[in-house]
Amino acid sequence: MITWGCQMNVYDSARMTDVLRPLGYTPVTDPAAAEMIILNTCHIRDRAAEKVFSELGRLRLIKDEREAQGHKTVLAVAGCVAQAEGEQILKRAPYVDIVLGPQTYHRLPEMVAKAARAGGSVIETDFPAEQKFDFLPEAEAPQTVENVTAFLTVQEGCDKFCSFCVVPYTRGAEASRPVASVLAEARRIVASGVRELTLLGQNVNAYHGEGPDGGTWTLAQLAYALAEIPGLERIRYTTSHPRDMGDDLIAAHHDLPALMPFLHLPVQSGSDSILRAMNRGHTADDYRRLVDRLRTARPDLALSSDFIIGHPGETDADFEATMQLIRDVGFAQAFSFKYSIRPGTPAAGAPLQVKEALKDERLYALQALLREQQDAFNDSVIGDVAPVLFTGHGRKPGQMVGRSPWLQPVHVDGPADLVGTIRPVLITQRLSNSLVGNLVEECVPA
Ligand code: SAM
Ligand code: SF4
């Protein structure tokens, strides 16, 4: 299983592994030893399809070599590039056996059988009427870091159609898993020793799953129910859309200590005209007000965001408005990208595409400001005692690593049995992307 892209793909790869296990497949790390190779692809970055074809070329050599030794290899392309390119993959790489979109993973055993029977290629990129989560087997191996933190997909797809984004076309319409199925999976994961769960969804806070009472539950309701699970110490969710930040979710940040005070809430731009062109459905001031409300509910809340620089039509004044929003809000961390054309999306054909050199210049300035803010945020915790959830060994001997409530990696010298525990750490130093500290006796609650 070769996985590219977001955490949701990592989760999906684990589910595909689960669905194939009853057929006798178990994961291997060396493609040359694999009877089946699944390339789980990502379409969000530039030239995604080209990267897939070049990897397929490499995998073909392995497939041919195994064939020469009398071993068959099933080669499958899954994920968002499979969904977007469909038939094109079989045209350009006819040696591929299976092409399957993200909503069809529960049908994988059927496709494997079909490919074996027919000897030709099988393609499944429709959005099936049934929900894949109703048909996937129970998650066997949660995606965990040393069995301490895990991801759990609760929502998929998107109906928002931002001008620049392929997700509504590759992941399909928004859909939420029923509450009972999420809670059952969460309980199993926690029973296996996991202390922190991150709920995943392209628009996770648009969650509207069928509740046990027959009504529709929001993400906040789900969070309250998850917080009741004994042993589950930390809950996070990503990625959220500002438009779906309901009052009850803001209140949950006040009420639930387990809901961690770090929120990835992408704003993309600080210019109202660009936000309108992006079809984001909110203004820069809406975002500022939302952040104020969140910080009133949970004063230690830190924020992260995504930014797109150089969306078609972005002027110097629009860019300056983004810089101003960053100065006003203050981000603990952020991802920033140059706008790049995704064929088939509304912005792809828009006039006034911004020149690459100008995008570079703006991105450089924006990243410098974000870096300053990230360093300042990390400096602000030096001298504090923070509760750190330990997840594993650091690079140096005797060193252990964990995460603060604000998702900062923290290194300490300590014993191996720290893993899986939350311990107070006095933060003493900032490195470029992590913190260093000492274990102490008392913890000042986050
Ligand atoms: N649903 C999330 C939201 O609305 O904020 C974002 C999901 S998207 C998978 C992750 C990020 O990729 C986006 O927030 C955006 O910043 C970036 N992205 C998406 N399409 C892009 C494009 N065409 N060019 C540059 N960045 C892009
Ligand atoms: Fe893409 Fe997020 Fe916009 Fe949906 S809300 S279209 S996933 S950027």
Side-chain angles (χ1 to χ4, degrees):
M1 185 75 71
I2 302 171
T3 309
W4 290 349
C6 64
Q7 283 306 333
M8 194 168 281
N9 266 13
V10 176
Y11 182 88
D12 282 345
S13 288
R15 295 290 75 76
M16 282 191 266
T17 307
D18 289 340
V19 94
L20 289 169
R21 208 170 267 120
L23 275 68
Y25 289 98
T26 51
V28 290
T29 46
D30 177 11
E35 288 171 24
M36 165 152 32
I37 301 173
I38 302 180
L39 183 58
N40 192 4
T41 61
C42 170
H43 201 284
I44 209 73
R45 297 285 162 257
D46 211 7
R47 294 187 293 278
E50 288 319 306
K51 282 175 199 152
V52 169
F53 286 115
S54 107
E55 179 70 2
L56 284 176
R58 192 180 75 87
L59 295 174
R60 181 195 193 165
L61 299 179
I62 294 172
K63 185 175 158 115
D64 287 350
E65 206 164 300
R66 279 178 51 86
E67 212 110 305
Q69 293 161 5
H71 304 300
K72 217 177 136 34
T73 314
V74 179
L75 184 53
V77 184
C80 291
V81 175
Q83 185 66 45
E85 296 289 317
E87 292 279 353
Q88 274 307 316
I89 294 182
L90 296 182
K91 275 203 191 115
R92 280 184 60 183
Y95 48 88
V96 167
D97 300 287
I98 298 173
V99 175
L100 71 165
Q103 300 308 325
T104 65
Y105 297 155
H106 55 294
R107 295 184 177 174
L108 192 48
E110 220 176 292
M111 295 179 224
V112 173
K114 246 196 231 166
R117 260 199 322 270
S121 303
V122 178
I123 175 161
E124 285 260 9
T125 49
D126 290 345
F127 291 113
E130 77 272 9
Q131 287 259 322
K132 78 174 171 197
F133 285 115
D134 294 342
F135 290 85
L136 281 170
E138 284 186 358
E140 274 201 30
Q143 274 309 302
T144 63
V145 177
E146 300 219 8
N147 216 36
V148 177
T149 67
F151 293 99
L152 201 173
T153 296
V154 300
Q155 181 277 343
E156 260 203 272
C158 182
D159 298 334
K160 295 206 167 61
F161 293 93
C162 296
S163 60
F164 50 84
C165 182
V166 289
V167 167
Y169 312 96
T170 58
R171 288 272 170 175
E174 199 181 306
S176 299
R177 285 175 72 178
V179 171
S181 127
V182 173
L183 291 180
E185 187 169 335
R187 284 194 196 98
R188 275 196 308 276
I189 294 175
V190 174
S192 78
V194 163
R195 302 273 77 96
E196 175 180 303
L197 262 187
T198 302
L199 309 178
L200 296 178
Q202 265 97 21
N203 270 272
V204 73
N205 58 344
Y207 178 84
H208 56 280
E210 185 194 328
D213 49 8
T216 301
W217 280 32
T218 60
L219 188 69
Q221 286 172 286
L222 186 64
Y224 284 98
L226 286 164
E228 299 284 311
I229 298 178
L232 180 56
E233 312 276 354
R234 293 181 166 191
I235 303 169
R236 305 179 187 275
Y237 56 93
T238 195
T239 297
S240 294
H241 194 294
R243 258 160 73 184
D244 295 317
M245 210 68 216
D247 293 346
D248 61 346
L249 191 52
I250 296 175
H253 276 280
H254 176 267
D255 296 344
L256 296 177
L259 209 47
M260 286 293 98
F262 179 84
L263 184 60
H264 184 59
L265 190 63
V267 64
Q268 313 295 356
S269 169
S271 148
D272 286 346
S273 64
I274 293 298
L275 286 169
R276 213 173 309 119
M278 286 177 164
N279 193 29
R280 291 292 288 179
H282 63 82
T283 63
D285 279 348
D286 290 339
Y287 188 85
R288 287 184 179 89
R289 276 190 291 270
L290 179 56
V291 168
D292 285 346
R293 290 177 60 213
L294 280 160
R295 283 181 170 153
T296 304
R298 180 90 202 225
D300 61 345
L301 188 94
L303 285 153
S304 142
S305 177
D306 293 342
F307 293 94
I308 294 184
I309 296 314
H311 183 275
E314 187 187 75
T315 62
D316 284 346
D318 293 321
F319 175 64
E320 178 45 35
T322 301
M323 295 291 272
Q324 191 53 45
L325 181 121
I326 296 172
R327 283 182 215 110
D328 293 344
V329 172
F331 290 93
Q333 203 233 310
F335 302 97
S336 43
F337 315 98
K338 284 191 286 180
Y339 168 75
S340 78
I341 289 175
R342 298 288 173 277
T345 57
L352 304 173
Q353 298 283 340
V354 178
K355 292 210 165 59
E356 265 329 283
L358 191 51
K359 283 189 211 167
D360 285 335
E361 207 179 288
R362 288 179 184 165
L363 188 70
Y364 185 80
L366 177 119
Q367 288 186 337
L369 177 58
L370 288 168
R371 181 81 230 179
E372 234 173 70
Q373 292 195 341
Q374 181 176 336
D375 289 350
F377 177 72
N378 287 339
D379 282 341
S380 75
V381 297
I382 293 178
D384 288 355
V385 175
V388 173
L389 171 59
F390 284 93
T391 51
H393 293 267
R395 275 200 214 119
K396 296 187 194 147
Q399 195 185 51
M400 303 300 292
V401 64
R403 295 274 180 168
S404 77
W406 305 279
L407 220 52
Q408 298 145 302
V410 180
H411 297 275
V412 301
D413 286 333
D417 64 3
L418 283 178
V419 172
T421 65
I422 298 180
R423 300 288 292 274
V425 172
L426 172 67
I427 308 296
T428 55
Q429 195 191 347
R430 165 175 69 81
L431 305 179
S432 56
N433 288 308
S434 64
L435 300 170
V436 181
N438 301 320
L439 288 165
V440 291
E441 289 305 315
E442 292 248 335
C443 194
V444 181

